[in-house]
Amino acid sequence: MTSDEQPTPETQPTLSSAAAPIPAPAISLKTELPKTQKSWRPTAKGKPADVLKLREDTPIPPLTKGTVLVKVHAVALNPVGYKVLDFLPGFLLRRIQAHEFDLAGVVVDGNGTDFKPGDEIFGSNPVPVTVSSGWGSLAQYARVQAGRAVLRPACLTPVQAAGIPIAGLTAYQALQNIGALKPGQRVFVNGGSTAVGAWAIQLAKAWGARVVGASTSAKNEQYVRGCGADVVYDYAKAPLHEQLISAAKEAKEKAKEGEEAEGVYDVFFEAVGFMDPALFVHSAAYLAPKGVFVSVGPQGPGLPSFLWNVMLKPGFLGGTKRKWKLVNVDPIKKDLEAFAKLCEEGKVKPLVDSVFAFEDALKAYERVMTGRATGKVVIKVDSDSE
């Protein structure tokens, strides 16, 4: 796909294949950095097309203790990127010199950390760090905390690696750190074709889940099955909780007859962020008594109803007798390294929906905001990188 082509929703997505090793570009300590650079900067609160501007007078970010300077090769977009622009007040947004969070690139200045010039890395500037410091990732040069970046495996291109930190670690930390997933357990992923959901399906399989269920649209069923889903539900056919309740009843009847039960799950991962509490409220029918319901968090209207039905309603008033947990991702080095190792071992594969040129960043946001991207939408900052 060329930089000026808009990806079509009808295109059937596929998993990326592992790439050949990418040689690190030569970085010289004697190379003088430019005094200014290009970056995409917020100018006000609103939609990306209205408030993000490409500036050529952005300074090179100053390094602070524990940070490294990176020549950026690729930046992956996440829904939180455009939502932040529509949520935070304008006076905070105007302080940001470069928007966005995930990146892959080459170290220019290791600044006394374990990284050295020429190291190919990927990592993330989390939302609070970007907002408080004013320095994000969507620029020709960015700084990143050494504790939130790792060496890029040779099997991943910068475009592939850039999509891992937020989406990949959301799935990783939801299943591993919160869901405490064990081999032989059953997992359900709501939103299997989202970047987070597709990573979660692959991770569940890599960790030995016996059955992985997922929801998606009919057109993305084969994509989700290609990620490793054993059971797939089309959410458009009927309310998902009704389909899950029906499947659980059928599975319990089969279990009485000595057959394998596939309708009750040990971990339910809600990777979409719907505000509708129905999935959790009815989860006792399809979530094991000691199971856990993990969510990326409520999004959209209806917050009072969600808070009451999910977080506050006591059991004696009909509250759900299951655990609800929120995953708040933090792209720390330990988990990034573990994820990179899974990629090196071929247990999970990169997820790339589409790639856009740096100057076409607003088109990339349009793609993300359709809600139809399967895999990561990536902006190639350095046109010479893979």
Side-chain angles (χ1 to χ4, degrees):
M1 179 178 296
T2 60
S3 62
D4 59 353
E5 288 180 326
Q6 183 71 4
T8 58
E10 292 76 23
T11 301
Q12 182 63 39
T14 59
L15 297 180
S16 300
S17 301
I22 306 300
I27 294 292
S28 172
L29 287 172
K30 297 180 180 180
T31 300
E32 288 190 12
L33 293 172
K35 292 183 179 180
T36 60
Q37 61 164 327
K38 294 180 181 179
S39 75
W40 284 92
R41 294 164 59 174
T43 58
K45 175 181 177 179
K47 297 179 180 178
D50 298 327
V51 304
L52 271 186
K53 305 298 180 184
L54 181 60
R55 298 287 296 270
E56 298 186 10
D57 59 351
T58 301
I60 303 299
L63 294 182
T64 56
K65 185 177 180 180
T67 64
V68 299
L69 184 64
V70 179
K71 187 177 189 297
V72 181
H73 288 165
V75 171
L77 300 186
N78 295 280
V80 68
Y82 69 80
K83 291 175 182 178
V84 162
L85 293 176
D86 205 33
F87 173 75
L88 291 179
F91 76 90
L92 282 180
L93 291 167
R94 284 190 291 272
R95 292 181 60 251
I96 298 175
Q97 301 291 306
H99 190 47
E100 283 301 332
F101 319 107
D102 289 348
L103 61 80
V106 59
V107 173
V108 175
D109 187 344
N111 193 30
T113 68
D114 291 337
F115 292 116
K116 62 183 183 301
D119 282 345
E120 293 272 1
I121 67 171
F122 71 96
S124 184
N125 291 301
V127 177
V129 172
T130 296
V131 174
S132 62
S133 71
W135 296 102
S137 304
L138 196 49
Q140 292 172 308
Y141 292 88
R143 77 181 190 194
V144 64
Q145 295 172 331
R148 289 191 169 96
V150 296
L151 294 173
R152 174 173 61 82
C155 64
L156 298 177
T157 68
V159 164
Q160 293 168 336
I164 291 175
I166 288 181
L169 288 203
T170 295
Y172 184 99
Q173 292 173 359
L175 298 184
Q176 184 79 282
N177 302 358
I178 300 176
L181 179 64
K182 298 177 178 62
Q185 289 188 322
R186 299 180 176 88
V187 179
F188 191 90
V189 179
N190 181 41
S193 61
T194 65
V196 173
W199 280 125
I201 293 169
Q202 292 190 74
L203 288 169
K205 280 295 187 179
W207 289 329
R210 181 165 37 165
V211 174
V212 178
S215 65
T216 189
S217 61
K219 75 181 183 66
N220 287 329
E221 178 177 352
Q222 291 308 310
Y223 171 73
V224 170
R225 289 191 181 277
C227 291
D230 302 297
V231 183
V232 179
Y233 295 89
D234 179 359
Y235 60 76
K237 284 188 175 181
L240 182 58
H241 69 275
E242 293 181 2
Q243 296 185 61
L244 290 168
I245 290 171
S246 177
K249 288 181 179 178
E250 182 179 346
K252 289 173 182 177
E253 289 300 318
K254 289 182 178 180
K256 291 179 182 178
E257 300 172 2
E259 296 183 39
E260 180 73 13
E262 297 182 352
V264 178
Y265 297 92
D266 300 286
V267 179
F268 192 106
F269 181 33
E270 202 288 289
V272 179
F274 285 147
M275 187 68 77
D276 183 359
L279 278 174
F280 177 70
V281 168
H282 296 280
S283 62
Y286 42 80
L287 186 61
K290 293 184 179 181
V292 58
F293 190 108
V294 187
S295 176
V296 295
Q299 299 174 27
L303 183 59
S305 173
F306 178 88
L307 291 175
W308 170 246
N309 285 287
V310 173
M311 304 182 72
L312 300 176
K313 193 173 185 180
F316 66 87
L317 289 179
T320 306
K321 296 179 180 179
R322 293 295 184 272
K323 294 179 181 178
W324 184 90
K325 298 288 185 180
L326 174 69
V327 55
N328 187 14
V329 64
D330 186 3
I332 57 175
K333 184 181 288 289
K334 176 176 67 69
D335 290 350
L336 284 170
E337 288 176 339
F339 204 107
K341 185 177 180 181
L342 289 169
C343 291
E344 288 181 303
E345 295 171 346
K347 294 180 178 179
V348 296
K349 295 181 180 180
L351 304 162
V352 177
D353 173 87
S354 47
V355 180
F356 294 82
F358 187 49
E359 292 75 12
D360 293 331
L362 296 182
K363 292 183 179 180
Y365 278 100
E366 289 177 7
R367 176 60 178 166
V368 173
M369 293 173 70
T370 65
R372 294 192 290 268
T374 47
K376 299 304 299 181
V377 175
V378 181
I379 296 170
K380 188 185 288 189
V381 178
D382 184 346
S383 60
D384 293 330
S385 65
E386 295 295 327

Short mmCIF file of all heavy atoms in Angstrom, two decimals, residues 67-111:
data_model
loop_
_atom_site.label_atom_id
_atom_site.label_comp_id
_atom_site.label_asym_id
_atom_site.label_seq_id
_atom_site.Cartn_x
_atom_site.Cartn_y
_atom_site.Cartn_z
N THR A 67 16.65 8.85 30.38
CA THR A 67 16.03 8.86 29.05
C THR A 67 17.10 8.77 27.97
O THR A 67 18.26 9.11 28.20
CB THR A 67 15.20 10.14 28.82
OG1 THR A 67 16.06 11.28 28.85
CG2 THR A 67 14.12 10.29 29.88
N VAL A 68 16.69 8.30 26.79
CA VAL A 68 17.60 8.22 25.65
C VAL A 68 16.98 8.97 24.48
O VAL A 68 15.76 9.13 24.40
CB VAL A 68 17.88 6.75 25.25
CG1 VAL A 68 18.53 6.00 26.41
CG2 VAL A 68 16.61 6.04 24.81
N LEU A 69 17.83 9.43 23.58
CA LEU A 69 17.36 10.13 22.39
C LEU A 69 17.31 9.14 21.23
O LEU A 69 18.28 8.41 20.98
CB LEU A 69 18.28 11.29 22.05
CG LEU A 69 17.84 12.16 20.86
CD1 LEU A 69 16.52 12.85 21.16
CD2 LEU A 69 18.92 13.19 20.53
N VAL A 70 16.21 9.13 20.53
CA VAL A 70 15.96 8.15 19.46
C VAL A 70 15.64 8.86 18.15
O VAL A 70 14.84 9.81 18.13
CB VAL A 70 14.78 7.23 19.84
CG1 VAL A 70 14.50 6.23 18.73
CG2 VAL A 70 15.06 6.51 21.15
N LYS A 71 16.28 8.42 17.08
CA LYS A 71 15.85 8.82 15.74
C LYS A 71 14.70 7.89 15.37
O LYS A 71 14.87 6.67 15.26
CB LYS A 71 16.99 8.68 14.73
CG LYS A 71 16.65 9.23 13.34
CD LYS A 71 17.85 9.12 12.40
CE LYS A 71 17.60 9.87 11.10
NZ LYS A 71 16.46 9.31 10.35
N VAL A 72 13.52 8.45 15.23
CA VAL A 72 12.32 7.64 15.10
C VAL A 72 12.18 7.07 13.70
O VAL A 72 12.30 7.79 12.70
CB VAL A 72 11.08 8.47 15.46
CG1 VAL A 72 9.81 7.62 15.36
CG2 VAL A 72 11.21 9.05 16.87
N HIS A 73 11.92 5.77 13.63
CA HIS A 73 11.65 5.11 12.35
C HIS A 73 10.15 4.93 12.11
O HIS A 73 9.67 5.12 10.99
CB HIS A 73 12.34 3.75 12.30
CG HIS A 73 13.82 3.83 12.16
ND1 HIS A 73 14.65 2.77 12.39
CD2 HIS A 73 14.62 4.85 11.82
CE1 HIS A 73 15.91 3.13 12.19
NE2 HIS A 73 15.91 4.40 11.85
N ALA A 74 9.42 4.54 13.15
CA ALA A 74 7.99 4.27 12.98
C ALA A 74 7.25 4.55 14.29
O ALA A 74 7.80 4.38 15.38
CB ALA A 74 7.76 2.83 12.55
N VAL A 75 6.01 4.97 14.15
CA VAL A 75 5.12 5.24 15.29
C VAL A 75 3.80 4.54 15.02
O VAL A 75 3.22 4.69 13.94
CB VAL A 75 4.89 6.75 15.48
CG1 VAL A 75 3.80 7.01 16.51
CG2 VAL A 75 6.19 7.45 15.89
N ALA A 76 3.31 3.78 16.00
CA ALA A 76 2.02 3.11 15.86
C ALA A 76 0.94 3.91 16.58
O ALA A 76 1.17 4.43 17.67
CB ALA A 76 2.08 1.70 16.43
N LEU A 77 -0.23 4.02 15.96
CA LEU A 77 -1.34 4.74 16.57
C LEU A 77 -2.19 3.80 17.41
O LEU A 77 -2.33 2.62 17.10
CB LEU A 77 -2.21 5.39 15.49
CG LEU A 77 -1.52 6.41 14.57
CD1 LEU A 77 -2.56 7.07 13.67
CD2 LEU A 77 -0.76 7.45 15.36
N ASN A 78 -2.76 4.36 18.46
CA ASN A 78 -3.71 3.66 19.31
C ASN A 78 -4.94 4.53 19.49
O ASN A 78 -4.83 5.77 19.42
CB ASN A 78 -3.09 3.38 20.69
CG ASN A 78 -1.90 2.45 20.62
OD1 ASN A 78 -2.05 1.23 20.54
ND2 ASN A 78 -0.70 3.01 20.64
N PRO A 79 -6.13 3.94 19.72
CA PRO A 79 -7.33 4.76 19.92
C PRO A 79 -7.16 5.83 20.99
O PRO A 79 -7.73 6.92 20.88
CB PRO A 79 -8.39 3.73 20.29
CG PRO A 79 -7.96 2.48 19.60
CD PRO A 79 -6.46 2.50 19.68
N VAL A 80 -6.36 5.54 22.01
CA VAL A 80 -6.18 6.53 23.08
C VAL A 80 -5.58 7.82 22.53
O VAL A 80 -5.80 8.91 23.09
CB VAL A 80 -5.29 5.95 24.20
CG1 VAL A 80 -3.86 5.75 23.73
CG2 VAL A 80 -5.31 6.86 25.43
N GLY A 81 -4.86 7.75 21.41
CA GLY A 81 -4.22 8.93 20.84
C GLY A 81 -5.23 9.99 20.42
O GLY A 81 -5.07 11.17 20.74
N TYR A 82 -6.27 9.58 19.68
CA TYR A 82 -7.26 10.58 19.26
C TYR A 82 -8.24 10.90 20.37
O TYR A 82 -8.81 12.00 20.44
CB TYR A 82 -7.98 10.16 17.98
CG TYR A 82 -8.91 8.98 18.07
CD1 TYR A 82 -10.19 9.11 18.57
CD2 TYR A 82 -8.53 7.72 17.60
CE1 TYR A 82 -11.07 8.04 18.64
CE2 TYR A 82 -9.39 6.64 17.66
CZ TYR A 82 -10.66 6.80 18.19
OH TYR A 82 -11.50 5.73 18.25
N LYS A 83 -8.43 9.97 21.30
CA LYS A 83 -9.34 10.24 22.42
C LYS A 83 -8.75 11.26 23.39
O LYS A 83 -9.48 12.09 23.95
CB LYS A 83 -9.66 8.93 23.15
CG LYS A 83 -10.53 7.99 22.30
CD LYS A 83 -10.74 6.66 22.95
CE LYS A 83 -11.56 5.74 22.04
NZ LYS A 83 -11.76 4.40 22.61
N VAL A 84 -7.44 11.21 23.58
CA VAL A 84 -6.78 12.21 24.42
C VAL A 84 -6.99 13.61 23.85
O VAL A 84 -7.22 14.57 24.60
CB VAL A 84 -5.27 11.89 24.54
CG1 VAL A 84 -4.49 13.11 25.02
CG2 VAL A 84 -5.05 10.73 25.51
N LEU A 85 -6.92 13.73 22.53
CA LEU A 85 -7.10 15.03 21.90
C LEU A 85 -8.50 15.60 22.11
O LEU A 85 -8.70 16.81 22.11
CB LEU A 85 -6.83 14.92 20.39
CG LEU A 85 -5.40 14.60 19.96
CD1 LEU A 85 -5.34 14.44 18.45
CD2 LEU A 85 -4.43 15.68 20.43
N ASP A 86 -9.46 14.72 22.31
CA ASP A 86 -10.84 15.17 22.48
C ASP A 86 -11.24 15.24 23.94
O ASP A 86 -12.37 15.61 24.27
CB ASP A 86 -11.78 14.21 21.74
CG ASP A 86 -13.09 14.87 21.35
OD1 ASP A 86 -13.08 16.09 21.07
OD2 ASP A 86 -14.12 14.18 21.33
N PHE A 87 -10.31 14.87 24.84
CA PHE A 87 -10.63 14.80 26.27
C PHE A 87 -9.90 15.85 27.08
O PHE A 87 -10.49 16.54 27.91
CB PHE A 87 -10.30 13.39 26.79
CG PHE A 87 -10.42 13.26 28.28
CD1 PHE A 87 -11.67 13.20 28.88
CD2 PHE A 87 -9.30 13.20 29.10
CE1 PHE A 87 -11.80 13.09 30.26
CE2 PHE A 87 -9.40 13.08 30.47
CZ PHE A 87 -10.66 13.03 31.05
N LEU A 88 -8.60 15.99 26.86
CA LEU A 88 -7.81 16.91 27.66
C LEU A 88 -8.09 18.37 27.26
O LEU A 88 -8.39 18.65 26.10
CB LEU A 88 -6.32 16.63 27.49
CG LEU A 88 -5.79 15.32 28.09
CD1 LEU A 88 -4.30 15.18 27.81
CD2 LEU A 88 -6.06 15.25 29.59
N PRO A 89 -7.97 19.28 28.19
CA PRO A 89 -8.17 20.69 27.85
C PRO A 89 -7.08 21.22 26.93
O PRO A 89 -5.94 20.73 26.95
CB PRO A 89 -8.14 21.39 29.22
CG PRO A 89 -7.38 20.46 30.11
CD PRO A 89 -7.69 19.08 29.62
N GLY A 90 -7.41 22.22 26.16
CA GLY A 90 -6.49 22.75 25.17
C GLY A 90 -5.19 23.27 25.74
O GLY A 90 -4.12 23.10 25.13
N PHE A 91 -5.23 23.87 26.94
CA PHE A 91 -4.00 24.44 27.49
C PHE A 91 -2.97 23.36 27.80
O PHE A 91 -1.76 23.61 27.73
CB PHE A 91 -4.30 25.29 28.73
CG PHE A 91 -4.59 24.52 29.98
CD1 PHE A 91 -3.57 24.16 30.86
CD2 PHE A 91 -5.90 24.15 30.29
CE1 PHE A 91 -3.84 23.45 32.02
CE2 PHE A 91 -6.17 23.43 31.46
CZ PHE A 91 -5.15 23.08 32.32
N LEU A 92 -3.42 22.14 28.13
CA LEU A 92 -2.49 21.03 28.35
C LEU A 92 -1.97 20.49 27.02
O LEU A 92 -0.79 20.20 26.87
CB LEU A 92 -3.16 19.91 29.14
CG LEU A 92 -3.32 20.09 30.64
CD1 LEU A 92 -4.02 18.88 31.26
CD2 LEU A 92 -1.95 20.29 31.31
N LEU A 93 -2.87 20.36 26.06
CA LEU A 93 -2.49 19.80 24.76
C LEU A 93 -1.48 20.70 24.05
O LEU A 93 -0.57 20.21 23.37
CB LEU A 93 -3.73 19.60 23.90
CG LEU A 93 -4.69 18.51 24.36
CD1 LEU A 93 -6.02 18.60 23.63
CD2 LEU A 93 -4.07 17.13 24.17
N ARG A 94 -1.62 22.00 24.18
CA ARG A 94 -0.72 22.92 23.49
C ARG A 94 0.71 22.87 24.03
O ARG A 94 1.65 23.34 23.38
CB ARG A 94 -1.27 24.35 23.56
CG ARG A 94 -2.44 24.59 22.60
CD ARG A 94 -2.80 26.06 22.53
NE ARG A 94 -3.39 26.54 23.78
CZ ARG A 94 -4.69 26.50 24.07
NH1 ARG A 94 -5.54 26.00 23.20
NH2 ARG A 94 -5.14 26.98 25.21
N ARG A 95 0.88 22.27 25.19
CA ARG A 95 2.22 22.10 25.75
C ARG A 95 2.98 20.94 25.12
O ARG A 95 4.20 20.83 25.25
CB ARG A 95 2.14 21.85 27.27
CG ARG A 95 1.66 23.03 28.08
CD ARG A 95 1.65 22.69 29.57
NE ARG A 95 2.99 22.34 30.04
CZ ARG A 95 3.37 21.11 30.37
NH1 ARG A 95 2.54 20.09 30.25
NH2 ARG A 95 4.59 20.89 30.80
N ILE A 96 2.25 20.07 24.44
CA ILE A 96 2.86 18.86 23.89
C ILE A 96 3.59 19.19 22.59
O ILE A 96 2.99 19.69 21.63
CB ILE A 96 1.80 17.77 23.65
CG1 ILE A 96 1.16 17.37 24.99
CG2 ILE A 96 2.40 16.56 22.98
CD1 ILE A 96 0.00 16.39 24.86
N GLN A 97 4.87 18.90 22.55
CA GLN A 97 5.71 19.20 21.39
C GLN A 97 5.60 18.13 20.30
O GLN A 97 5.89 18.40 19.13
CB GLN A 97 7.18 19.33 21.82
CG GLN A 97 7.43 20.42 22.85
CD GLN A 97 7.24 21.79 22.26
OE1 GLN A 97 7.83 22.15 21.25
NE2 GLN A 97 6.38 22.59 22.89
N ALA A 98 5.25 16.92 20.70
CA ALA A 98 5.07 15.82 19.75
C ALA A 98 4.03 14.87 20.35
O ALA A 98 4.17 14.44 21.50
CB ALA A 98 6.37 15.07 19.50
N HIS A 99 2.98 14.57 19.58
CA HIS A 99 1.90 13.72 20.08
C HIS A 99 2.26 12.24 19.88
O HIS A 99 3.25 11.91 19.24
CB HIS A 99 0.61 14.06 19.34
CG HIS A 99 -0.61 13.43 19.93
ND1 HIS A 99 -0.88 13.44 21.28
CD2 HIS A 99 -1.64 12.75 19.35
CE1 HIS A 99 -2.01 12.82 21.51
NE2 HIS A 99 -2.50 12.38 20.36
N GLU A 100 1.44 11.38 20.46
CA GLU A 100 1.53 9.91 20.35
C GLU A 100 2.57 9.29 21.27
O GLU A 100 3.34 9.99 21.92
CB GLU A 100 1.72 9.47 18.90
CG GLU A 100 0.43 9.54 18.10
CD GLU A 100 -0.70 8.68 18.66
OE1 GLU A 100 -0.43 7.65 19.32
OE2 GLU A 100 -1.87 9.05 18.47
N PHE A 101 2.58 7.94 21.27
CA PHE A 101 3.22 7.23 22.36
C PHE A 101 4.17 6.10 21.93
O PHE A 101 5.32 6.06 22.34
CB PHE A 101 2.13 6.69 23.30
CG PHE A 101 1.02 7.70 23.51
CD1 PHE A 101 -0.23 7.53 22.92
CD2 PHE A 101 1.25 8.85 24.24
CE1 PHE A 101 -1.24 8.48 23.09
CE2 PHE A 101 0.26 9.82 24.42
CZ PHE A 101 -0.99 9.62 23.84
N ASP A 102 3.71 5.16 21.12
CA ASP A 102 4.54 4.01 20.73
C ASP A 102 5.52 4.39 19.63
O ASP A 102 5.18 5.15 18.72
CB ASP A 102 3.66 2.87 20.21
CG ASP A 102 2.85 2.20 21.31
OD1 ASP A 102 3.12 2.46 22.49
OD2 ASP A 102 1.95 1.42 20.98
N LEU A 103 6.72 3.79 19.69
CA LEU A 103 7.72 4.09 18.65
C LEU A 103 8.72 2.96 18.49
O LEU A 103 8.88 2.10 19.36
CB LEU A 103 8.47 5.38 18.99
CG LEU A 103 9.28 5.46 20.28
CD1 LEU A 103 10.64 4.80 20.16
CD2 LEU A 103 9.46 6.90 20.72
N ALA A 104 9.39 3.00 17.36
CA ALA A 104 10.57 2.16 17.11
C ALA A 104 11.58 3.04 16.39
O ALA A 104 11.22 3.88 15.57
CB ALA A 104 10.21 0.95 16.25
N GLY A 105 12.86 2.87 16.72
CA GLY A 105 13.88 3.69 16.09
C GLY A 105 15.27 3.29 16.51
O GLY A 105 15.48 2.18 17.03
N VAL A 106 16.24 4.17 16.29
CA VAL A 106 17.63 3.88 16.60
C VAL A 106 18.14 4.92 17.59
O VAL A 106 17.87 6.12 17.47
CB VAL A 106 18.49 3.86 15.31
CG1 VAL A 106 18.43 5.19 14.58
CG2 VAL A 106 19.93 3.48 15.63
N VAL A 107 18.88 4.45 18.57
CA VAL A 107 19.40 5.33 19.62
C VAL A 107 20.47 6.26 19.06
O VAL A 107 21.40 5.81 18.38
CB VAL A 107 19.97 4.51 20.79
CG1 VAL A 107 20.66 5.41 21.81
CG2 VAL A 107 18.86 3.69 21.46
N VAL A 108 20.33 7.54 19.34
CA VAL A 108 21.33 8.54 18.95
C VAL A 108 22.21 8.90 20.15
O VAL A 108 23.42 9.07 20.02
CB VAL A 108 20.64 9.80 18.40
CG1 VAL A 108 21.66 10.90 18.10
CG2 VAL A 108 19.84 9.47 17.15
N ASP A 109 21.60 8.98 21.32
CA ASP A 109 22.33 9.30 22.55
C ASP A 109 21.82 8.42 23.67
O ASP A 109 20.65 8.51 24.05
CB ASP A 109 22.12 10.78 22.89
CG ASP A 109 22.99 11.25 24.07
OD1 ASP A 109 23.51 10.39 24.81
OD2 ASP A 109 23.12 12.48 24.24
N GLY A 110 22.69 7.54 24.19
CA GLY A 110 22.30 6.63 25.26
C GLY A 110 22.22 7.30 26.62
O GLY A 110 21.63 6.75 27.56
N ASN A 111 22.82 8.48 26.78
CA ASN A 111 22.67 9.30 27.97
C ASN A 111 23.01 8.56 29.27
O ASN A 111 22.34 8.70 30.29
CB ASN A 111 21.23 9.84 28.04
CG ASN A 111 21.07 10.95 29.07
OD1 ASN A 111 22.01 11.70 29.34
ND2 ASN A 111 19.89 11.05 29.64
#
